[in-house]
Structures are given as structure tokens and as C-alpha cells.
Amino acid sequence: TDTLTVNQTDYAQNMSVDYLRGLCYLGLKNLDKAEEYFNIYVDQETAENGAEYVDENAFLYLGIIKNYRNDYEAAINQFDRALRYESGNADVHYHRAKAFYKMGENESAQKDLDLARALMDDNKQLRGFYYEAIEQIYNSDIEKLEANINVTP
């Protein structure tokens, strides 16, 4: 990924720099570049080690990108991929609930929100000890989405 390590992935803090680039671009709301680098990471990790070794948060972030683009079915597919490898992440359930809600599937959205809330209560969400994670959720996000679901006919 640079002139010294041509044709090989560099790792910083035990994570692929392609994954980290994806995070940076997502933080900048450059969705095209974020998606590009997350896909590079997923494809390379899958080819070298198998899909089960891909960090499930890459699928979470790819789903968030799809949500931003109003491509809710594709978002749900990415969230399902994340849940295949880690079912105990409140963020995945919350963002999948948002996609379900946008598609008018309020019952599915509510089920995911209930799971997200329970996982948040167990501190099973993206959160750094010294920083705020990109696209980090809070209980207020869950409450706001739930209020929208409950007023939608």
C-alpha cells in the first residue's frame, strides 16, 4: 500500500490500513471512497483468510453507507453479514432497524430496536474508552427512532 510495501497490505494498530481509510472517508462523509476502501479490505481479507476473519464492523459500515444512499435492501444485506459473525452489537441492530423503518417494515424495525436497547444496556456497542466511534449510537437515537415507528400508521 506504499512504495516500501508494494502489493501487500499494511496494518496499523492491528487493522488493515484499507479498513482504516474506509473509516476516515466515512467520517468525512466521502461515501464513495469509504465504500471503496471497505470493499478492498473485505475482499482481500476474505481471499487471504476467509470471510469469518473479516471484522464485522466493516459490514456495519458498508450498511451505514447504503442507508445514507437510501439503498435499504442492500443495507440490510450488509447488516445481516455483520450479524452472521457477531450478533451482539447494538449498532448493527439499530442501523438495521433504521433501514427496516425506511422500508415501512415497522415490526422488524421494532424487534431490532428492542435488541439494540438490550445490547446497549449490556454495553455491547461501538465505543472507545477515549474517543467517540464513527457513527456511534446513543440511547437517545434508539428512543427517537422508536418514537417515529410508534407514530407511523
Side-chain angles (χ1 to χ4, degrees):
T1 54
D2 59 36
T3 57
L4 296 176
T5 55
V6 178
N7 297 324
Q8 117 184 27
T9 300
D10 292 323
Y11 287 80
Q13 299 179 356
N14 204 30
M15 183 52 74
S16 161
V17 294
D18 294 317
Y19 175 94
L20 296 173
R21 285 177 181 149
L23 277 179
C24 291
Y25 282 115
L26 181 57
L28 293 169
K29 301 296 189 242
N30 185 334
L31 303 181
D32 291 334
K33 291 300 256 184
E35 184 174 30
E36 174 186 343
Y37 280 109
F38 282 125
N39 281 325
I40 289 170
Y41 162 71
V42 168
D43 293 345
Q44 186 166 3
E45 195 69 28
T46 300
E48 290 178 4
N49 302 306
E52 64 273 18
Y53 291 100
V54 173
D55 187 308
E56 67 277 354
N57 291 325
F59 302 124
L60 165 65
Y61 289 127
L62 285 166
I64 289 170
I65 291 166
K66 298 297 185 187
N67 265 353
Y68 274 126
R69 292 183 171 149
N70 303 322
D71 189 354
Y72 304 116
E73 286 184 31
I76 289 169
N77 287 335
Q78 292 296 335
F79 299 135
D80 288 346
R81 289 174 78 186
L83 292 170
R84 190 175 309 136
Y85 302 108
E86 174 55 64
S87 60
N89 184 324
D91 299 76
V92 176
H93 289 285
Y94 169 77
H95 287 287
R96 190 170 73 168
K98 280 178 64 173
F100 280 132
Y101 168 70
K102 292 292 189 173
M103 293 174 61
E105 296 182 26
N106 290 355
E107 187 175 316
S108 295
Q110 187 61 56
K111 286 180 184 177
D112 265 333
L113 279 181
D114 291 342
L115 285 167
R117 179 177 287 109
L119 291 165
M120 288 280 287
D121 289 344
D122 286 340
N123 292 316
K124 294 182 178 174
Q125 71 271 11
L126 287 179
R127 180 144 306 145
F129 292 106
Y130 304 108
Y131 61 89
E132 181 174 292
I134 293 175
E135 299 292 331
Q136 180 173 318
I137 64 169
Y138 297 91
N139 283 319
S140 59
D141 296 316
I142 293 171
E143 292 164 3
K144 181 178 176 183
L145 182 55
E146 190 167 48
N148 288 336
I149 289 169
N150 290 330
V151 298
T152 303

